[in-house]
Amino acid sequence: MKALSFLLAAPLLVGMAFGAAGCGGIDSRSSKGDDSSNDAGSTDDGGSFPLGAYSDCQWLVTGGTFESASSPATLTLGPICSASGCAASAMVASFQSGQATTTFTLHATSDSSATLSGPGQGFSGEWGFCGGGAVQLDGGGIAVADPAPAEATLSLTSAELTIDQGVAFLQLDGPVVDIQGSPGCTPDVPPSSGLSALLVCDVSNGNGVGNAPAATTTTSRFAAGAYACSSTAEFLVSYQGEEDHSSIGGSGTLTLTANGASLEAVYSGDTNASGTLEFVVTSDSSANPVPGQTITVGCGAIDPTTLMQVNAPTPGNVNAAALTTDGTALYLTFLSKTSGGACANQTASTVLVCMPKG
């Protein structure tokens, strides 16, 4: 996988000075080390964007491609600097998985959100397929082979980054182009509808406490009303001395209500999750949760005596969350941890993909 190139007006120097506070409180200075230079993580309203390395990245939604099989990786956000100083609100995002790195640029829209800085950028990875189907065996028989992962580029039409409680939520959308294939493995036709992918990093660092997000706008692309949602929940729980990992799909209804710069999301009808979460709009297409909230989540444990799933929905503390929109669909992601019942100390990553009803 090759690093992607991107167009910029001048040669770049990327430099970061990391504070001991970690990703949630990183100071960014110019590569010359001059403390009086522009804060490279500053937003237009004078705040400071939390630059730095966000580790333990996992793909939670990948449009059904092989990118979900990638090993844990790192997303690094750094300033864009030249000889005259660092940009006030632009940043470079570098995603490293194994030995492969892909790079693109973002523009900060608040102290906790950023969007794609311009068109023509891509995100390389195993977004495509090749081969598969009926295969003629040496003995004359026929076998059905699974398709193999193929290197391709997700040509970004949008990218929304939200930082909450030290967790980075990166929503990517766009068509798949340039599927490479390999010798003897002809590339498949890319999906005609494009892909929507979600990357979440530093899952282990979210603690659900901290200052409330600052509202930066009262106008946004969030449309109030009822949405039909599909859900995917990844659970990790210890039950009766055994550790269970599970992934469960579901569906439900989300009702979004707007009140100035605040949003209320009420979700129901889904065994994976139910309840109400309050958000503050931080850009025209992203919102951060009010800290200290809880939501009822399903139980991912399997009873080792019956091999049946434990049916014990439990209130869970919301450690970190993000709500984004592309103007039509809503994407709600939250990380939770339960504290009692059969699923005590369960951690869960839940993703809702919602479309307007009617």
Side-chain angles (χ1 to χ4, degrees):
M1 196 185 309
K2 297 181 180 178
L4 297 179
S5 60
F6 46 91
L7 298 179
L8 294 165
L12 302 181
L13 300 172
V14 179
M16 290 178 285
F18 297 152
C23 291
I26 291 172
D27 292 328
S28 294
R29 311 287 184 186
S30 76
S31 58
K32 296 181 293 184
D34 181 2
D35 288 355
S36 64
S37 63
N38 291 335
D39 182 351
S42 294
T43 61
D44 294 335
D45 61 3
S48 180
F49 195 93
L51 302 177
Y54 292 79
S55 58
D56 299 323
C57 293
Q58 299 287 345
W59 293 102
L60 297 187
V61 175
T62 61
T65 72
F66 279 95
E67 193 61 58
S68 59
S70 296
S71 59
T74 299
L75 177 70
T76 302
L77 306 175
I80 296 179
C81 301
S82 66
S84 60
C86 296
S89 58
M91 69 188 76
V92 59
S94 178
F95 176 72
Q96 183 172 2
S97 178
Q99 301 300 312
T101 301
T102 189
T103 305
F104 54 101
T105 57
L106 300 168
H107 174 82
T109 50
S110 75
D111 293 354
S112 58
S113 61
T115 192
L116 194 67
S117 62
Q121 302 190 71
F123 195 110
S124 59
E126 292 178 344
W127 301 111
F129 301 89
C130 68
V135 177
Q136 182 78 39
L137 301 177
D138 292 340
I142 299 293
V144 177
D146 291 331
E151 296 293 329
T153 298
L154 186 62
S155 182
L156 298 176
T157 56
S158 68
E160 296 294 334
L161 174 68
T162 302
I163 307 295
D164 182 54
Q165 308 298 334
V167 180
F169 300 84
L170 178 62
Q171 181 76 44
L172 304 171
D173 290 275
V176 174
V177 298
D178 299 331
I179 299 180
Q180 299 301 308
S182 60
C185 192
T186 304
D188 290 351
V189 176
S192 58
S193 60
L195 293 180
S196 181
L198 173 66
L199 183 71
V200 176
C201 305
D202 257 356
V203 173
S204 60
N205 292 344
N207 55 20
V209 297
N211 297 328
T216 56
T217 179
T218 58
T219 60
S220 71
R221 296 195 291 168
F222 289 103
Y227 291 78
C229 306
S230 61
S231 69
T232 303
E234 302 282 346
F235 298 103
L236 172 59
V237 61
S238 295
Y239 181 68
Q240 294 188 4
E242 296 188 16
E243 189 174 81
D244 290 322
H245 296 258
S246 60
S247 177
I248 302 173
S251 62
T253 298
L254 184 144
T255 301
L256 190 68
T257 303
N259 182 17
S262 298
L263 297 170
E264 180 186 72
V266 180
Y267 189 58
S268 61
D270 191 342
T271 56
N272 278 340
S274 63
T276 300
L277 291 177
E278 301 286 341
F279 289 85
V280 173
V281 178
T282 53
S283 76
D284 74 335
S285 53
S286 63
N288 282 51
V290 174
Q293 300 185 79
T294 60
I295 193 166
T296 299
V297 293
C299 184
I302 302 298
D303 188 329
T305 62
T306 64
L307 300 182
M308 299 294 290
Q309 183 179 344
V310 177
N311 185 17
T314 306
N317 297 320
V318 176
N319 293 341
L323 177 66
T324 62
T325 183
D326 59 9
T328 302
L330 291 181
Y331 303 93
L332 171 56
T333 308
F334 59 88
L335 313 179
S336 60
K337 184 174 183 178
T338 58
S339 56
C343 275
N345 298 318
Q346 169 185 269
T347 58
S349 304
T350 305
V351 183
L352 307 182
V353 180
C354 308
M355 297 297 294
K357 283 191 171 183

